[in-house]
Amino acid sequence: KTMHPARALRIAGGCYAALGTMVFCVLWLAPEVGVPKSAGNPKPEDVITTARGWGDINGCMFVGLGSMLIYCAGAVDKVVGEKSAAAVPVVNRMLLANQVLAMFLLGFATFHTVILKHGPPPPVFVATGVSAVVSYLGRKSKLLEAGKEA
């Protein structure tokens, strides 16, 4: 089974944008959910403030990455539609780069969950896993294969 490369980029981009939005919402609207306070910490608000600082950066990066992938999907529609052989390696690399990034994110999330006993919430695993799978399916598209032959 395969997927149109532009659709794969849009889905992957939507997953990352949703993760970034989730980070913003949790850290600013319900910080106690996303940042457990240490019982021995005399200043528990410092933990939330630090988490918000890093969370803003992470959320911004996720939303930015998602936006870039969605934006690039429009260009992919055009070049794949024209069966441009020069564009096929670029599209393939975009999807491969996203697939590799998603695998690293899943690896670190698993490490934090299993070894450190405090990992990201389940939506991170779901969205990142979906992003990896659709990138793989997009790379196997017959449209990209047809573009290689053009």
Side-chain angles (χ1 to χ4, degrees), residues 11 22 24 27 36 54 63 71 74 77 85 94 104 111 113 120 125 132 136 141 147:
I11 293 171
M22 182 191 79
F24 289 134
L27 290 177
W54 281 103
V63 170
Y71 179 75
D77 270 338
M94 286 173 54
F104 272 105
F111 169 77
T113 301
F125 287 97
Y136 173 79
S141 172

Side-chain angles (χ1 to χ4, degrees), residues 7-24 55-71 94-107 123-136:
R7 179 176 292 147
L9 287 171
R10 284 187 183 100
I11 293 171
C15 288
Y16 287 131
L19 280 177
T21 303
M22 182 191 79
V23 168
F24 289 134
D56 287 347
I57 292 168
N58 289 331
C60 204
M61 286 190 329
F62 274 129
V63 170
L65 175 61
S67 299
M68 283 186 347
L69 291 175
I70 291 168
Y71 179 75
M94 286 173 54
L95 290 166
L96 177 62
N98 184 59
Q99 187 179 357
V100 169
L101 173 66
M103 299 311 288
F104 272 105
L105 290 171
L106 284 170
V124 172
F125 287 97
V126 172
T128 307
V130 167
S131 182
V133 169
V134 298
S135 292
Y136 173 79

Side-chain angles (χ1 to χ4, degrees), residues 24-130:
F24 289 134
C25 290
V26 168
L27 290 177
W28 287 99
L29 300 178
E32 294 79 17
V33 172
V35 183
K37 297 179 183 177
S38 171
N41 186 358
K43 296 183 180 181
E45 291 305 314
D46 288 351
V47 175
I48 290 177
T49 302
T50 302
R52 282 179 174 161
W54 281 103
D56 287 347
I57 292 168
N58 289 331
C60 204
M61 286 190 329
F62 274 129
V63 170
L65 175 61
S67 299
M68 283 186 347
L69 291 175
I70 291 168
Y71 179 75
C72 289
V76 169
D77 270 338
K78 184 176 184 220
V79 296
V80 170
E82 295 170 357
K83 294 189 172 52
S84 170
V88 169
V90 175
V91 173
N92 214 357
R93 285 184 188 139
M94 286 173 54
L95 290 166
L96 177 62
N98 184 59
Q99 187 179 357
V100 169
L101 173 66
M103 299 311 288
F104 272 105
L105 290 171
L106 284 170
F108 282 113
T110 302
F111 169 77
H112 280 267
T113 301
V114 174
I115 305 298
L116 302 179
K117 305 286 189 233
H118 190 73
V124 172
F125 287 97
V126 172
T128 307
V130 167

